[in-house]
Amino acid sequence: MNLLKRLRIDPFTLTLLGTVLLASLLPVRGTAAAWMDVVTDIAIAALFFLHGARLSRQSILAGATHWRLHLTILCCTFVLFPLLGLAVHPVAERLLTPGLALGLLFLCALPSTVQSSIAFTSMAGGNVPAAVVSASASSLLGVFLTPMIMALMAGTQGQMSDPVAAMGKILLQLLVPFLAGHLLRPLIGGWVDRHRPVLKYTDQGTILLVVYTAFSAAVVEGLWHKTPVLALLGVVVFAAVLLGMVMGLITLLARRLGFGRADEIAIVFCGSKKSLATGVPMAKVMFAGGALGAIVLPVMIFHQVQLITCAVVAQRYARAGGRAVAATE
């Protein structure tokens, strides 16, 4: 029964789909679209300011010394994933639209998630402090690495900005607010910690705002006329295949490198995830015009695929850990 509950589409995903439908039926245009862009930029800056305020110095120090684990996770995120993306890209170009194929490459260049990586690591009985550090480091390094990786993989496809200019914009819009929030944590950290359940809606609200703005521009440019249903189904298949390949290879790598069970769990969940919360704002900075809607679609689809898959895998790890404990008693 619990497994069936976890396999249900979560409410936020339904809200995302509703936002896409709203943008498809009532896209924002003209002057209103320009104002929406300004509002979205402010919301993104506020989002990363709060992320910085949430991250405690203690959590950083708790896992920072486990460098082999962190290096393994970062290599999975920023080396293994892009290589697999390049491997499937020739097939994706034949089966998908150019925007969706580029979106798959962008997906592979993104950093790991923070919240869900930690949540699944904890659920499975893994090394939570190390997961906190690795996932947070991945998000910060993604500011620099994602534009560079995309430049190497895709060049200037899909109206992508110059990578150096994109990096500067990301630094200004994402990293500067993040660092400001973290530096102000001694003053506002208590308030932020007390309101964590409420503040999660700032994450979701910002994503919905960016998705609505992006899809409005895409719809005005004719997104749904240019995107066949079979291409959308193809993205689901590509997302599932990529995730399956990555999780299998990461599990094998962690065991070959001699990591213990708790560390293996952290590596599997942090190294196989891609961040919707970071990816959508990054896409807004890195890509222009109507291409943005198609580019973020694979990220949105992968988000749901990874939630369902990781819920199942985390439960299996948890059950296996319970059996191991029972066998030693």
Side-chain angles (χ1 to χ4, degrees):
M1 182 63 70
N2 288 336
L3 180 57
L4 291 174
K5 286 181 179 179
R6 292 191 180 281
L7 287 176
R8 289 187 310 180
I9 297 178
D10 65 283
F12 179 59
T13 299
L14 293 175
T15 310
L16 266 177
L17 294 175
T19 303
V20 172
L21 179 62
L22 178 63
S24 300
L25 298 175
L26 296 170
V28 64
R29 303 168 184 264
T31 305
W35 278 106
M36 280 290 290
D37 272 335
V38 174
V39 172
T40 302
D41 288 344
I42 293 170
I44 290 170
L47 168 68
F48 279 83
F49 176 84
L50 291 171
H51 272 298
R54 291 175 195 172
L55 185 63
S56 70
R57 205 70 50 86
Q58 291 78 10
S59 65
I60 297 175
L61 296 175
T65 57
H66 207 340
W67 65 269
R68 283 183 67 246
L69 180 144
H70 304 316
L71 184 60
T72 302
I73 290 172
L74 292 173
C75 284
C76 292
T77 303
F78 294 115
V79 178
L80 176 61
F81 243 117
L83 289 176
L84 290 175
L86 286 173
V88 304
H89 188 60
V91 181
E93 281 188 310
R94 290 176 177 272
L95 300 179
L96 307 178
T97 65
L100 292 176
L102 183 62
L104 281 175
L105 284 181
F106 176 64
L107 163 70
C108 293
L110 286 175
S112 179
T113 62
V114 178
Q115 291 94 334
S116 58
S117 292
I118 296 166
F120 284 123
T121 299
S122 175
M123 183 191 306
N127 188 337
V128 174
V132 170
V133 174
S134 279
S136 302
S138 178
S139 290
L140 291 174
L141 289 173
V143 170
F144 306 96
L145 295 179
T146 296
M148 293 171 60
I149 292 169
M150 276 304 295
L152 291 172
M153 291 197 297
T156 56
Q157 293 182 45
Q159 298 176 298
M160 180 180 169
S161 305
D162 175 74
V164 176
M167 193 182 302
K169 290 179 183 177
I170 291 171
L171 282 171
L172 184 62
Q173 194 169 357
L174 308 186
L175 186 61
V176 170
F178 182 93
L179 293 176
H182 187 61
L183 290 174
L184 289 173
R185 180 173 169 79
L187 297 177
I188 64 174
W191 183 86
V192 170
D193 290 338
R194 288 193 301 272
H195 293 84
R196 275 178 186 266
V198 177
L199 291 176
K200 76 173 184 178
Y201 295 111
T202 61
D203 293 25
Q204 297 178 354
T206 301
I207 293 170
L208 294 175
L209 222 94
V210 176
V211 166
Y212 177 69
T213 306
F215 273 89
S216 290
V219 168
V220 170
E221 294 289 329
L223 171 67
W224 298 125
H225 297 294
K226 302 174 185 176
T227 308
V229 174
L230 286 177
L232 290 175
L233 294 175
V235 174
V236 177
V237 173
F238 275 107
V241 169
L242 271 174
L243 184 61
M245 291 169 64
V246 166
M247 293 190 80
L249 289 171
I250 289 176
T251 303
L252 180 62
L253 178 65
R255 291 175 183 176
R256 285 291 182 91
L257 292 175
F259 287 102
R261 179 182 175 278
D263 289 343
E264 176 191 319
I265 290 169
I267 292 168
V268 167
F269 288 116
C270 293
S272 65
K273 305 293 269 304
K274 291 295 179 176
S275 176
L276 178 69
T278 303
V280 174
M282 275 191 175
K284 184 180 183 299
V285 175
M286 292 173 60
F287 301 95
L292 180 58
I295 288 168
V296 300
L297 257 177
V299 183
M300 293 168 56
I301 290 170
F302 187 86
H303 172 74
Q304 184 60 36
V305 172
Q306 74 182 5
L307 287 180
I308 293 172
T309 304
C310 289
V312 175
V313 174
Q315 288 195 332
R316 288 181 178 174
Y317 268 121
R319 286 196 296 268
R323 288 194 297 268
V325 171
T328 60
E329 290 178 348

